[in-house]
PDB file of all heavy atoms in Angstrom:
ATOM      1  N   ILE A1127      26.625  -5.258  20.771  1.00  0.00           N
ATOM      2  CA  ILE A1127      27.530  -4.776  19.731  1.00  0.00           C
ATOM      3  C   ILE A1127      28.977  -5.063  20.112  1.00  0.00           C
ATOM      4  O   ILE A1127      29.785  -5.483  19.278  1.00  0.00           O
ATOM      5  CB  ILE A1127      27.307  -3.274  19.491  1.00  0.00           C
ATOM      6  CG1 ILE A1127      25.880  -3.040  18.972  1.00  0.00           C
ATOM      7  CG2 ILE A1127      28.335  -2.720  18.512  1.00  0.00           C
ATOM      8  CD1 ILE A1127      25.509  -1.595  18.824  1.00  0.00           C
ATOM      9  N   ASP A1128      29.317  -4.853  21.381  1.00  0.00           N
ATOM     10  CA  ASP A1128      30.685  -5.110  21.837  1.00  0.00           C
ATOM     11  C   ASP A1128      31.078  -6.568  21.620  1.00  0.00           C
ATOM     12  O   ASP A1128      32.197  -6.874  21.183  1.00  0.00           O
ATOM     13  CB  ASP A1128      30.828  -4.752  23.316  1.00  0.00           C
ATOM     14  CG  ASP A1128      30.890  -3.253  23.555  1.00  0.00           C
ATOM     15  OD1 ASP A1128      30.915  -2.497  22.563  1.00  0.00           O
ATOM     16  OD2 ASP A1128      30.908  -2.836  24.725  1.00  0.00           O
ATOM     17  N   THR A1129      30.180  -7.490  21.948  1.00  0.00           N
ATOM     18  CA  THR A1129      30.484  -8.917  21.806  1.00  0.00           C
ATOM     19  C   THR A1129      30.670  -9.296  20.346  1.00  0.00           C
ATOM     20  O   THR A1129      31.624 -10.004  19.992  1.00  0.00           O
ATOM     21  CB  THR A1129      29.362  -9.769  22.436  1.00  0.00           C
ATOM     22  OG1 THR A1129      29.235  -9.449  23.820  1.00  0.00           O
ATOM     23  CG2 THR A1129      29.661 -11.253  22.293  1.00  0.00           C
ATOM     24  N   LEU A1130      29.775  -8.826  19.494  1.00  0.00           N
ATOM     25  CA  LEU A1130      29.890  -9.141  18.065  1.00  0.00           C
ATOM     26  C   LEU A1130      31.173  -8.549  17.481  1.00  0.00           C
ATOM     27  O   LEU A1130      31.826  -9.167  16.637  1.00  0.00           O
ATOM     28  CB  LEU A1130      28.671  -8.610  17.310  1.00  0.00           C
ATOM     29  CG  LEU A1130      27.329  -9.269  17.650  1.00  0.00           C
ATOM     30  CD1 LEU A1130      26.191  -8.597  16.893  1.00  0.00           C
ATOM     31  CD2 LEU A1130      27.361 -10.763  17.332  1.00  0.00           C
ATOM     32  N   THR A1131      31.526  -7.362  17.954  1.00  0.00           N
ATOM     33  CA  THR A1131      32.771  -6.731  17.495  1.00  0.00           C
ATOM     34  C   THR A1131      33.983  -7.513  17.975  1.00  0.00           C
ATOM     35  O   THR A1131      34.940  -7.741  17.216  1.00  0.00           O
ATOM     36  CB  THR A1131      32.847  -5.276  17.992  1.00  0.00           C
ATOM     37  OG1 THR A1131      31.715  -4.548  17.500  1.00  0.00           O
ATOM     38  CG2 THR A1131      34.117  -4.603  17.508  1.00  0.00           C
ATOM     39  N   ASP A1132      33.964  -7.936  19.239  1.00  0.00           N
ATOM     40  CA  ASP A1132      35.082  -8.703  19.799  1.00  0.00           C
ATOM     41  C   ASP A1132      35.353  -9.967  18.984  1.00  0.00           C
ATOM     42  O   ASP A1132      36.517 -10.376  18.822  1.00  0.00           O
ATOM     43  CB  ASP A1132      34.796  -9.082  21.254  1.00  0.00           C
ATOM     44  CG  ASP A1132      34.868  -7.894  22.202  1.00  0.00           C
ATOM     45  OD1 ASP A1132      35.433  -6.857  21.800  1.00  0.00           O
ATOM     46  OD2 ASP A1132      34.354  -8.009  23.325  1.00  0.00           O
ATOM     47  N   PHE A1133      34.286 -10.583  18.500  1.00  0.00           N
ATOM     48  CA  PHE A1133      34.437 -11.837  17.759  1.00  0.00           C
ATOM     49  C   PHE A1133      34.417 -11.626  16.244  1.00  0.00           C
ATOM     50  O   PHE A1133      34.254 -12.568  15.479  1.00  0.00           O
ATOM     51  CB  PHE A1133      33.355 -12.833  18.188  1.00  0.00           C
ATOM     52  CG  PHE A1133      33.607 -13.402  19.558  1.00  0.00           C
ATOM     53  CD1 PHE A1133      33.045 -12.811  20.680  1.00  0.00           C
ATOM     54  CD2 PHE A1133      34.437 -14.499  19.727  1.00  0.00           C
ATOM     55  CE1 PHE A1133      33.287 -13.313  21.955  1.00  0.00           C
ATOM     56  CE2 PHE A1133      34.676 -15.010  20.988  1.00  0.00           C
ATOM     57  CZ  PHE A1133      34.106 -14.407  22.107  1.00  0.00           C
ATOM     58  N   LYS A1134      34.559 -10.351  15.861  1.00  0.00           N
ATOM     59  CA  LYS A1134      34.731  -9.986  14.458  1.00  0.00           C
ATOM     60  C   LYS A1134      33.610 -10.524  13.559  1.00  0.00           C
ATOM     61  O   LYS A1134      33.846 -10.990  12.437  1.00  0.00           O
ATOM     62  CB  LYS A1134      36.104 -10.467  13.958  1.00  0.00           C
ATOM     63  CG  LYS A1134      37.272  -9.790  14.684  1.00  0.00           C
ATOM     64  CD  LYS A1134      38.617 -10.302  14.192  1.00  0.00           C
ATOM     65  CE  LYS A1134      39.768  -9.474  14.766  1.00  0.00           C
ATOM     66  NZ  LYS A1134      39.768  -9.392  16.237  1.00  0.00           N
ATOM     67  N   ARG A1135      32.393 -10.435  14.067  1.00  0.00           N
ATOM     68  CA  ARG A1135      31.238 -10.784  13.242  1.00  0.00           C
ATOM     69  C   ARG A1135      30.868  -9.585  12.361  1.00  0.00           C
ATOM     70  O   ARG A1135      31.184  -8.436  12.690  1.00  0.00           O
ATOM     71  CB  ARG A1135      30.035 -11.155  14.102  1.00  0.00           C
ATOM     72  CG  ARG A1135      30.224 -12.320  15.036  1.00  0.00           C
ATOM     73  CD  ARG A1135      30.506 -13.615  14.284  1.00  0.00           C
ATOM     74  NE  ARG A1135      31.926 -13.934  14.289  1.00  0.00           N
ATOM     75  CZ  ARG A1135      32.441 -15.056  13.809  1.00  0.00           C
ATOM     76  NH1 ARG A1135      31.645 -15.972  13.273  1.00  0.00           N
ATOM     77  NH2 ARG A1135      33.729 -15.269  13.846  1.00  0.00           N
ATOM     78  N   SER A1136      30.176  -9.841  11.281  1.00  0.00           N
ATOM     79  CA  SER A1136      29.699  -8.771  10.401  1.00  0.00           C
ATOM     80  C   SER A1136      28.400  -8.200  10.979  1.00  0.00           C
ATOM     81  O   SER A1136      27.440  -8.947  11.189  1.00  0.00           O
ATOM     82  CB  SER A1136      29.447  -9.313   8.994  1.00  0.00           C
ATOM     83  OG  SER A1136      30.654  -9.784   8.419  1.00  0.00           O
ATOM     84  N   ILE A1137      28.401  -6.898  11.246  1.00  0.00           N
ATOM     85  CA  ILE A1137      27.243  -6.246  11.862  1.00  0.00           C
ATOM     86  C   ILE A1137      26.606  -5.281  10.866  1.00  0.00           C
ATOM     87  O   ILE A1137      27.280  -4.429  10.286  1.00  0.00           O
ATOM     88  CB  ILE A1137      27.642  -5.462  13.126  1.00  0.00           C
ATOM     89  CG1 ILE A1137      28.413  -6.356  14.097  1.00  0.00           C
ATOM     90  CG2 ILE A1137      26.403  -4.874  13.807  1.00  0.00           C
ATOM     91  CD1 ILE A1137      28.972  -5.613  15.298  1.00  0.00           C
ATOM     92  N   TYR A1138      25.303  -5.427  10.669  1.00  0.00           N
ATOM     93  CA  TYR A1138      24.511  -4.509   9.857  1.00  0.00           C
ATOM     94  C   TYR A1138      23.459  -3.908  10.776  1.00  0.00           C
ATOM     95  O   TYR A1138      22.995  -4.565  11.716  1.00  0.00           O
ATOM     96  CB  TYR A1138      23.865  -5.248   8.677  1.00  0.00           C
ATOM     97  CG  TYR A1138      24.886  -5.934   7.807  1.00  0.00           C
ATOM     98  CD1 TYR A1138      25.384  -7.194   8.152  1.00  0.00           C
ATOM     99  CD2 TYR A1138      25.375  -5.322   6.663  1.00  0.00           C
ATOM    100  CE1 TYR A1138      26.346  -7.828   7.376  1.00  0.00           C
ATOM    101  CE2 TYR A1138      26.335  -5.951   5.869  1.00  0.00           C
ATOM    102  CZ  TYR A1138      26.819  -7.201   6.236  1.00  0.00           C
ATOM    103  OH  TYR A1138      27.777  -7.811   5.470  1.00  0.00           O
ATOM    104  N   PHE A1139      23.079  -2.671  10.506  1.00  0.00           N
ATOM    105  CA  PHE A1139      22.155  -1.984  11.400  1.00  0.00           C
ATOM    106  C   PHE A1139      20.850  -1.628  10.693  1.00  0.00           C
ATOM    107  O   PHE A1139      20.835  -1.258   9.512  1.00  0.00           O
ATOM    108  CB  PHE A1139      22.787  -0.692  11.942  1.00  0.00           C
ATOM    109  CG  PHE A1139      23.926  -0.937  12.891  1.00  0.00           C
ATOM    110  CD1 PHE A1139      25.242  -0.775  12.470  1.00  0.00           C
ATOM    111  CD2 PHE A1139      23.699  -1.329  14.197  1.00  0.00           C
ATOM    112  CE1 PHE A1139      26.300  -0.998  13.331  1.00  0.00           C
ATOM    113  CE2 PHE A1139      24.756  -1.560  15.073  1.00  0.00           C
ATOM    114  CZ  PHE A1139      26.060  -1.390  14.636  1.00  0.00           C
ATOM    115  N   TYR A1140      19.780  -1.753  11.477  1.00  0.00           N
ATOM    116  CA  TYR A1140      18.484  -1.193  11.078  1.00  0.00           C
ATOM    117  C   TYR A1140      18.096  -0.245  12.205  1.00  0.00           C
ATOM    118  O   TYR A1140      17.801  -0.689  13.322  1.00  0.00           O
ATOM    119  CB  TYR A1140      17.434  -2.279  10.896  1.00  0.00           C
ATOM    120  CG  TYR A1140      16.098  -1.732  10.423  1.00  0.00           C
ATOM    121  CD1 TYR A1140      15.807  -1.640   9.073  1.00  0.00           C
ATOM    122  CD2 TYR A1140      15.143  -1.286  11.336  1.00  0.00           C
ATOM    123  CE1 TYR A1140      14.590  -1.125   8.640  1.00  0.00           C
ATOM    124  CE2 TYR A1140      13.939  -0.764  10.916  1.00  0.00           C
ATOM    125  CZ  TYR A1140      13.670  -0.686   9.564  1.00  0.00           C
ATOM    126  OH  TYR A1140      12.480  -0.162   9.135  1.00  0.00           O
TER     127      TYR A1140
END
Side-chain angles (χ1 to χ4, degrees):
I1127 297 175
D1128 285 355
T1129 300
L1130 294 177
T1131 301
D1132 288 344
F1133 287 93
K1134 296 179 171 55
R1135 300 297 100 174
S1136 297
I1137 307 174
Y1138 303 83
F1139 291 103
Y1140 183 91

